Amino acid sequence: LIAQGRSALFEGDTVLAREYLSRVKNLNPTMPEINLFEAEILLKEGQRDAAKKLLSDLAADLGIADWIRKLADEYLLQMQ
């Protein structure tokens, strides 16, 4: 679902991306990838402060997969 949502986001459809996000949250609300995907949507919507908060939290969380932390760091660097 996240991959499908990212595809919709890549195509510029934030409404459809949010629908996929909602479906994923219903299935597994604690999955760290959800916050990363939500931050990507927020960035696309121009909500930089909200995205930065999610990304900062992900970058600081040593309990999640390295690739998620690294991608969060990359997005934070791009936002500077």
Side-chain angles (χ1 to χ4, degrees), residues 1-25 33-52 54-55 58 75 79:
L1 290 174
I2 289 177
Q4 290 173 306
R6 277 204 173 96
S7 177
L9 188 61
F10 180 77
E11 296 294 325
D13 191 342
T14 57
V15 173
L16 184 56
R18 283 206 170 274
E19 288 177 22
Y20 281 112
L21 176 65
S22 179
R23 290 173 61 189
V24 172
K25 281 184 176 182
E33 291 90 334
I34 290 172
N35 289 334
L36 182 62
F37 181 40
E38 185 165 11
E40 292 168 332
I41 293 170
L42 289 166
L43 285 171
K44 189 77 158 184
E45 294 172 336
Q47 298 183 52
R48 293 175 57 88
D49 291 340
K52 188 174 183 178
L54 283 175
L55 293 169
L58 286 170
Y75 283 131
M79 292 175 71

